[in-house]
Amino acid sequence: MGYDYEKTRKSDEQIFVIRMVDVSVIYVNYRTIQLILDSVKSIKERTLGISYEIIVVDNACDEESFRLIKDRYPEIICIQSVDNLGFGKGNNLGIEQAQGDFVLFLNPDTVLRNNAIDILCRFMKDNPSVGGCGGNLYDEEGNATTSFSRKYPSFLWELLGILYIPSLCISSRRSLFFNYEGKPIKVASVIGADLIRRTVLSSVGGFDADFFMNYEETELCLRIHRSGWDIYSVPSAQITHLEGRASYIKQSRLYFLYEGQYIYFRKVYGKFGCRLIFAITQLKSYVRIFQFLLLGNRKRGAYWKMKLETNREVWNSERIKRILK
């Protein structure tokens, strides 16, 4: 059990009040303070039967955000970073301050639908071989959205994606990205709301500092798996993910998605693997552009042209050139 020590003074005596903490909830803020406040509100309203602390790491260096948090929730631990460190490094700062036996990395754009934190925590306590877990995610309308992946990224999977084979699998009840099975299942990685044992983080390390945003959760889950721990999807824990079903990704976010992909493939498959996934990604974009040209769908065609150009821009960036050396 983690402990948080509150020290008070009575005459010349030091009195220590010990508050046990089951879960440390960590948010990374970058101009998302209102989303975080809404998410924290859902934690306060729905979390019962468990002790927790909330840590907010501010990557925006925004004094106004700190004031809003402290005015509404003075008990929240706030950490300010001078630089925008990205998602992984920001969470690592939070890990350094965390006191809980379990650490929950919660995206700012999430809202609890039920007592999800307690459900996930109890599952971990009952299953000591599990290193990390996550719940089912839903969009604002209550529709199922991407909550995990049954497989780690691979060349074969990306090639099959060109033929829409993964999408055909998703249409079945045994979804590749959402738990319809009504029971906990083993998965490769979870996203958006990852509960991980503190002892596991101490053993395998936190997020890889090379990632700025995207694929860092996948890479961390891979290290946890390789260390002999299981990752599970626990469907009874339910969380709304506000951006979960966006069919179009903004170009700025897409840039970091591709960058994260290349860093992941470089680490897992080496330089050749990184070059191969670039070729597959470009091929997929060309196929989609031609496909939507034939279908007369200019909007989708333009979107895939933007993806093609963004992918090429990332590939030619100085950061990717450095990781290929």
Side-chain angles (χ1 to χ4, degrees), residues 286-302:
Y286 280 118
V287 170
R288 291 288 181 271
I289 291 169
F290 181 68
Q291 170 192 340
F292 290 114
L293 176 65
L294 292 179
L295 294 173
N297 191 329
R298 293 183 179 180
K299 183 178 180 180
R300 294 294 293 178

Side-chain angles (χ1 to χ4, degrees), residues 35 37 51 61 86 110 159 229 278 290 304:
L35 289 173
L37 290 173
S51 61
C61 201
T110 55
L159 283 169
W229 297 89
F278 167 72
F290 181 68
W304 278 95

Side-chain angles (χ1 to χ4, degrees), residues 82 192 244 322:
V82 176
R322 282 198 300 271

Side-chain angles (χ1 to χ4, degrees), residues 90-267:
N91 274 309
N92 287 344
L93 286 182
I95 293 172
E96 293 175 4
Q97 300 296 320
Q99 299 292 325
D101 282 342
F102 303 93
V103 179
L104 176 64
F105 303 104
L106 202 54
N107 281 12
D109 59 341
T110 55
V111 177
L112 303 190
R113 295 164 61 95
N114 61 5
N115 194 8
I117 299 178
D118 181 57
I119 293 170
L120 294 174
C121 186
R122 290 185 185 279
F123 176 80
M124 295 279 276
K125 289 180 178 180
D126 292 340
N127 296 273
S129 66
V130 178
C133 66
N136 266 349
L137 303 185
Y138 301 81
D139 67 9
E140 289 181 272
E141 287 73 45
N143 300 308
T145 189
T146 302
S147 307
F148 59 82
S149 176
R150 292 184 187 263
K151 299 180 180 295
Y152 289 108
S154 68
F155 309 113
L156 176 61
W157 198 243
E158 293 298 324
L159 283 169
L160 291 176
I162 297 176
L163 302 175
Y164 290 107
I165 290 178
S167 297
L168 294 174
C169 295
I170 292 172
S171 66
S172 70
R173 293 299 292 177
R174 191 178 184 276
S175 168
L176 290 167
F177 303 109
F178 187 86
N179 190 343
Y180 289 107
E181 298 181 31
K183 62 181 180 180
I185 57 173
K186 283 185 183 181
V187 297
S189 61
V190 291
I191 68 164
D194 312 358
L195 185 74
I196 300 176
R197 292 183 190 276
R198 180 63 183 271
T199 53
V200 171
L201 289 171
S202 298
S203 174
V204 306
F207 290 98
D208 190 310
D210 288 341
F211 292 90
F212 183 79
M213 185 170 64
N214 293 304
Y215 281 82
E216 64 283 304
E217 290 171 303
T218 305
E219 193 274 338
L220 176 57
C221 286
L222 178 61
R223 275 187 281 132
I224 292 172
H225 257 142
R226 288 178 170 177
S227 296
W229 297 89
D230 294 326
I231 306 291
Y232 264 79
S233 162
V234 184
S236 55
Q238 300 179 359
I239 301 170
T240 296
H241 188 198
L242 299 177
E243 294 187 6
R245 288 186 67 88
S247 58
Y248 290 87
I249 303 175
K250 293 180 180 179
Q251 188 170 10
S252 57
R253 186 174 176 183
L254 187 63
Y255 184 97
F256 291 115
L257 180 66
Y258 284 138
E259 183 182 80
Q261 174 182 255
Y262 294 132
I263 294 172
Y264 177 87
F265 273 83
R266 172 66 177 87
K267 289 180 177 292

